[in-house]
Amino acid sequence: MNFYPNQLFHVYNQGNNRQTIFYSDENYRYFLWKMKAYILPFADIISYCLMPTHFHWQIYVYRNVIERKLLRNHIESIELQRRKSKYGDAALAPGSSISPKTNEDAFITLNESIGILQRAYTRALNKEKGWSGSLFRSDCKSKDGWIDEFITITKANGNLDHRFTADTDYGHICMAYIHNNPVAAGFVKEDIEWKYSSAREYTGQEKENVCNVEMGRKIMSEG
């Protein structure tokens, strides 16, 4: 995935052979905590939808590379919050999935962080189910544009470039598509009925605070 700063991306992946990746409310909630831990140091989450066999994120990337120690510290802080929410204030956070390096100033990319997120979730689910092996497709995908017809801007060299810009409706279209996934699948009649989508954050019905709702509303107003 080719991430770069100051751009909105649509990221999505699914289970191997379209297999189920979320089996319970606990699975969904655990994955949301992992999103906070591994994405937020690099990007704001604008919208998301977790479906039984796949997930969608809409993220605004601020930086593609950070120091490993900064990510490690953030992950440990989020993990402590997760454990306290589940077990109470006496809970202790284990070490993060980012193992200490001899060079504390080594860097890690958003691509690598997303890979670690998926592996961390896979390990947890495999442990729960008594399984082994990979869970997600290896080719997690991202787009910095939606459908080419929607966004067409011309670079200085004359080539066409398809991506989000403030004067296009890509951001709004992408968010609407993401939120509509459970409706299109026939799981619910309205997007706000699906518990594992940011649609509920935008109506104040979900207090997970995963998304930057203020930025999302700005994007929707530009659509």
Side-chain angles (χ1 to χ4, degrees):
M1 294 179 286
N2 183 28
F3 294 113
Y4 49 92
N6 304 315
Q7 185 57 246
L8 190 68
F9 289 86
H10 174 209
V11 181
Y12 50 100
N13 203 1
Q14 61 183 339
N16 283 323
N17 300 313
R18 301 181 184 274
Q19 74 181 83
T20 299
I21 56 178
F22 302 114
Y23 290 85
S24 67
D25 181 74
E26 177 67 17
N27 293 160
Y28 284 105
R29 297 297 175 189
Y30 184 76
F31 193 80
L32 286 172
W33 279 106
K34 292 302 179 186
M35 287 164 52
K36 291 181 183 180
Y38 289 92
I39 297 175
L40 295 186
F42 300 90
D44 277 339
I45 300 170
I46 305 304
S47 65
Y48 68 86
C49 186
L50 309 183
M51 299 286 284
T53 61
H54 61 282
F55 67 81
H56 293 270
W57 303 330
Q58 186 182 27
I59 62 175
Y60 189 90
V61 176
Y62 291 104
R63 57 192 70 85
N64 185 39
V65 180
I66 64 173
E67 292 181 358
R68 295 180 69 92
K69 62 184 177 184
L70 296 180
L71 179 59
R72 187 183 307 118
N73 290 340
H74 177 79
I75 291 169
E76 290 174 354
S77 173
I78 293 296
E79 178 62 10
L80 180 57
Q81 292 177 39
R82 184 189 75 82
R83 292 174 69 85
K84 283 185 174 181
S85 73
K86 184 174 182 178
Y87 303 114
D89 290 340
L92 297 176
S96 76
S97 300
I98 306 295
S99 58
K101 294 287 185 178
T102 302
N103 179 6
E104 277 289 289
D105 295 323
F107 291 93
I108 187 167
T109 67
L110 175 55
N111 264 343
E112 292 175 293
S113 192
I114 290 174
I116 296 170
L117 182 162
Q118 292 181 126
R119 291 193 295 275
Y121 177 79
T122 297
R123 283 195 300 272
L125 187 65
N126 282 348
K127 182 178 180 181
E128 174 189 315
K129 299 291 187 181
W131 296 343
S132 62
S134 62
L135 177 65
F136 295 97
R137 291 182 58 173
S138 60
D139 57 340
C140 186
K141 297 179 180 179
S142 70
K143 292 183 180 180
D144 59 356
W146 187 232
I147 299 173
D148 290 350
E149 290 82 1
F150 290 151
I151 301 110
T152 302
I153 59 178
T154 305
K155 293 181 176 179
N157 62 10
N159 292 331
L160 297 180
D161 193 6
H162 308 293
R163 68 177 71 188
F164 169 77
T165 57
D167 58 347
T168 69
D169 58 359
Y170 159 60
H172 182 269
I173 292 169
C174 184
M175 183 185 293
Y177 168 81
I178 289 172
H179 286 168
N180 193 59
N181 258 243
V183 178
F187 294 153
V188 292
K189 292 184 178 179
E190 296 185 49
D191 57 11
I192 58 172
E193 296 173 3
W194 186 249
K195 292 197 298 181
Y196 313 111
S197 159
S198 54
R200 295 169 64 87
E201 284 195 47
Y202 283 90
T203 60
Q205 297 179 53
E206 180 59 68
K207 304 302 182 183
E208 285 287 350
N209 297 318
V210 175
C211 294
N212 183 337
V213 173
E214 182 179 354
M215 178 180 283
R217 286 183 174 139
K218 182 175 184 296
I219 289 169
M220 287 192 290
S221 71
E222 291 168 349

